[in-house]
Amino acid sequence: MATITQIETQKKNTERCSVYVDGTFYCGLKMEIAIKHHLKAGMEIEKSQLDEIQYDEEKSTALDQALKLVSGSMKTEKQIDDYLERKGYRTPVCEYVKEKLRYYGLLDDFKYCELYVGSIKGKGKRALAEDLYKRGAKREAIEAALEDYTEDVDEAYSVLVRYMRGKEITQDTTRKAFRHLMSKGFAYDTARDCLKRLGEDLDTDAAEDTVEDADGDSE
């Protein structure tokens, strides 16, 4: 059995206190945690109990930090894991925090993917999937969010028009435009239809020729 010999407010952070056991600094705690567990000088306590109290504070602090993180924007479970690991929290603490966030409805990869897909413009289905994979979203959540997703040809065409603005319509520029649409994650057929539409709108053969070249390449 050990004895708490002193509890003093920390000078740099008055919301925390330093706990001394048998005359030696043992740990720092939030003042509210010390009060919650009725800690005071002269109190006899097992060090294992103090460790549990410290763990209690660690969970509370980690949860507060995670709540601040998700208050700006929703995160995937992987992003929360990475964030807490960078902060040095142990796996049990990370699991505790994620459980709490799920309970509050603030952590849901399925909802995250659905919201992301609905909010991002100017990208195709493939690019959306790649973005979500990079953010660590669960594969099944990504697949569910994109299962009924249909690329907006008008949106893709707007991307094409912005890219072609100020450029001369030639086979070279339209080929580059085709690759640009593909790099934005739009499907081959979507990119091809946009180029065909460009050719019809501008009454030029360059875009039409690129469509034919692309069709030939796909054979």
Side-chain angles (χ1 to χ4, degrees):
M1 187 75 70
T3 302
I4 297 176
T5 50
Q6 185 181 1
I7 298 178
E8 64 177 10
T9 303
Q10 294 182 357
K11 294 179 180 179
K12 293 184 178 180
N13 187 348
T14 57
E15 294 183 354
R16 294 182 63 81
C17 63
S18 298
V19 180
Y20 293 81
V21 174
D22 296 332
T24 303
F25 173 78
Y26 190 80
C27 67
L29 294 173
K30 282 184 179 179
M31 195 67 76
E32 63 184 85
I33 297 294
I35 293 172
K36 173 184 174 181
H37 292 278
H38 309 291
L39 302 182
K40 59 184 179 180
M43 177 181 180
E44 291 189 342
I45 190 170
E46 294 287 352
K47 288 187 177 181
S48 59
Q49 187 179 348
L50 268 178
D51 291 341
E52 283 297 319
I53 293 172
Q54 196 173 10
Y55 177 54
D56 184 27
E57 189 214 27
E58 191 178 357
K59 291 190 294 184
S60 174
T61 301
L63 180 58
D64 286 346
Q65 292 177 330
L67 286 170
K68 288 179 182 178
L69 181 67
V70 299
S71 67
S73 62
M74 199 172 184
K75 306 296 180 186
T76 65
E77 289 199 20
K78 181 65 165 54
Q79 287 174 322
I80 293 295
D81 269 333
D82 291 345
Y83 173 76
L84 293 175
E85 286 175 8
R86 287 197 300 271
K87 292 288 186 181
Y89 291 109
R90 297 168 290 171
T91 299
V93 173
C94 296
E95 292 302 321
Y96 167 83
V97 169
K98 289 192 295 181
E99 182 180 347
K100 286 294 184 182
L101 292 178
R102 290 190 202 100
Y103 176 78
Y104 296 140
L106 299 173
L107 188 62
D108 183 336
D109 275 15
F110 285 87
K111 184 177 179 181
Y112 178 93
C113 292
E114 182 181 343
L115 291 173
Y116 186 85
V117 168
S119 65
I120 300 299
K121 303 299 180 184
K123 288 189 176 184
K125 185 174 183 177
R126 178 166 45 81
L128 291 172
E130 289 174 357
D131 286 350
L132 290 169
Y133 280 123
K134 289 177 182 177
R135 286 163 171 74
K138 295 177 180 177
R139 180 180 295 273
E140 57 268 30
I142 297 172
E143 291 174 351
L146 293 173
E147 183 177 6
D148 297 321
Y149 180 81
T150 301
E151 289 184 344
D152 189 331
V153 178
D154 288 336
E155 184 179 316
Y157 187 66
S158 295
V159 173
L160 172 63
V161 170
R162 286 196 298 272
Y163 178 82
M164 293 299 295
R165 189 174 293 138
K167 296 181 176 67
E168 184 181 353
I169 307 298
T170 66
Q171 281 190 297
D172 183 55
T173 56
T174 51
R175 282 195 185 95
K176 290 178 179 178
F178 182 82
R179 290 197 292 270
H180 178 69
L181 288 174
M182 295 292 286
S183 74
K184 290 293 184 179
F186 289 106
Y188 172 88
D189 288 344
T190 301
R192 183 194 61 187
D193 290 345
C194 286
L195 284 173
K196 184 176 180 181
R197 178 174 167 183
L198 180 69
E200 293 171 349
D201 288 350
L202 299 179
D203 192 24
T204 177
D205 294 331
E208 293 286 354
D209 289 343
T210 302
V211 171
E212 292 177 4
D213 289 346
D215 285 338
D217 292 340
S218 68
E219 291 178 358

